[in-house]
Amino acid sequence: MIYKGSGAEHIGFGNSIFVKRFPDGEIYVKVPKVEKKVFYIQSFYPGQNDKLLEALLTIDALYDNGTNEVKLISLYFPYTKQDKIFSEGEALSVKTVLKLFSSVGISEIHFINAHFLREEGFFREWGMDLYNHNAASLLKENIKADMFVLPGRGAYYLLEGENVFHVKTKRDEKYEDIGEKIFRKPNVFIEDLDVKNKTVAVVDDMISTGGTMAKTVELLKKLGSKKVIASAVHGLFVGEAEKKLSVADEIITTNTVVSKFSKVDVTPLVRNIVENYR
Ligand code: R5P
């Protein structure tokens, strides 16, 4: 059985879970009658904290009502940028959030492009089975471009192919020994690309504040691109992001997070996950 949280209502199959607010703003959840095995789909943006609590309440209630297995499918997973300790005393946010899911009985999570995993496939982390699924090929199928430019560590695993370039934006940029997981290295310095009169799509795992994307788009324009498409799996568009991205000719994201730019539907990918991991 497939259930959807309030952040996943737009996915083209599965049943909604009843969610409402108490007058003081707290979240109320009521789950349907017992099902033996369940996939629970949720997107945790916008309103990460509320969506997290909603998911935890739902999963716990499903187990309380006789479900014996819940697998989480996360369209967009929160708190993944703090995936290491940058300075002493900091919370390792991604670990804490995963522990919360473990505490309500989750042992398997399917993510769409979780930022902290940086590669497609299976990972065993913090006692859980984690699968990182990649929606970038769905994006590519829907974008008409001569070249696809991937601008940084979080993006390098997204696409491969003849017209795909893993770029660095500073010639002396170092990608080794910085304590991060890096599975692929850049294959070209962006200014060495021949982009003159070409349509170029920049593809990233996410657009958050839009800074990384805007900088890359501007550079490609300066280098002579005819048209630049800003694209990402997850489009958060925090603060002034949309304004910054007015330098792009077009913006395209998937609907892991819903916005006016989420033009590519991830329902087929979610359906595959359900079919392959029952
Ligand atoms: C970085 O590792 C990521 O792949 C994205 O480039 C980054 O998260 C985008 O953030 P922002 O939109 O705030 O520049």
Side-chain angles (χ1 to χ4, degrees):
M1 194 69 192
I2 295 120
Y3 293 120
K4 302 185 281 193
S6 63
E9 292 286 359
H10 59 287
I11 293 300
F13 66 103
N15 299 307
S16 303
I17 295 278
F18 183 77
V19 181
K20 69 168 188 174
R21 296 270 174 176
F22 286 108
D24 61 0
E26 290 178 359
I27 297 163
Y28 169 97
V29 165
K30 184 175 164 64
V31 302
K33 212 48 217 152
V34 180
E35 293 291 342
K36 291 296 172 205
K37 289 189 177 193
V38 165
F39 279 96
Y40 174 67
I41 311 168
Q42 178 66 299
S43 177
F44 296 88
Y45 192 89
Q48 301 92 309
N49 299 335
D50 282 359
K51 297 273 175 47
L52 270 175
L53 202 57
E54 178 196 326
L56 293 166
L57 292 170
T58 303
I59 293 161
D60 209 21
L62 285 165
Y63 279 114
D64 284 347
N65 284 275
T67 302
N68 57 24
E69 182 189 83
V70 184
K71 292 180 180 179
L72 173 63
I73 300 178
S74 167
L75 306 181
Y76 171 77
F77 201 72
Y79 290 98
T80 57
K81 288 220 170 162
Q82 187 78 34
D83 60 350
K84 63 176 180 159
I85 305 291
F86 296 89
S87 72
E88 205 184 343
E90 288 178 342
L92 187 53
S93 313
V94 68
K95 181 196 66 164
T96 307
V97 171
L98 289 173
K99 278 167 77 178
L100 286 171
F101 282 107
S102 179
S103 75
V104 292
I106 293 286
S107 60
E108 183 173 320
I109 306 182
H110 293 266
F111 303 97
I112 297 186
N113 297 96
H115 184 71
F116 73 108
L117 292 174
R118 307 247 162 81
E119 180 60 298
E120 204 173 329
F122 172 74
F123 297 80
R124 178 86 188 155
E125 298 261 15
W126 298 300
M128 306 179 91
D129 290 343
L130 309 177
Y131 294 84
N132 200 28
H133 301 273
N134 186 1
S137 51
L138 284 176
L139 268 180
K140 190 167 182 258
E141 280 164 24
N142 284 276
I143 295 174
K144 280 202 176 74
D146 303 310
M147 300 165 75
F148 293 84
V149 164
L150 313 188
R153 291 187 284 281
Y156 291 150
Y157 77 95
L158 296 177
L159 296 172
E160 292 283 358
E162 231 175 64
N163 53 353
V164 174
F165 299 90
H166 304 153
V167 303
K168 53 182 178 179
T169 48
K170 290 188 199 118
R171 203 174 278 282
D172 59 352
E173 215 159 18
K174 290 266 187 299
Y175 282 87
E176 293 90 12
D177 303 327
I178 55 168
E180 287 194 44
K181 292 175 208 154
I182 299 158
F183 294 90
R184 279 168 235 202
K185 291 185 182 166
N187 52 17
V188 67
F189 172 50
I190 194 163
E191 291 191 15
D192 292 338
L193 281 178
D194 178 12
V195 298
K196 278 209 176 60
N197 299 319
K198 298 207 169 118
T199 297
V200 183
V202 184
V203 185
D204 207 344
D205 64 337
M206 70 167 92
I207 294 170
S208 180
T209 65
T212 310
M213 184 59 78
K215 208 175 82 187
T216 314
V217 172
E218 272 163 14
L219 196 47
L220 287 164
K221 286 273 180 161
K222 220 171 83 188
L223 295 169
S225 299
K226 178 175 68 182
K227 179 177 177 186
V228 183
I229 300 162
S231 73
V233 174
H234 312 295
L236 310 190
F237 302 106
V238 175
E240 300 278 280
E242 191 180 337
K243 202 166 134 196
K244 283 185 208 161
L245 289 171
S246 57
V247 287
D249 295 284
E250 200 180 342
I251 303 171
I252 302 178
T253 72
T254 76
N255 62 355
T256 56
V257 173
V258 175
S259 75
K260 65 178 173 187
F261 304 112
S262 52
K263 299 163 189 164
V264 175
D265 185 13
V266 294
T267 297
L269 177 57
V270 177
R271 204 183 286 281
N272 273 347
I273 296 170
V274 169
E275 281 165 10
N276 292 325
Y277 294 89
R278 270 182 204 286

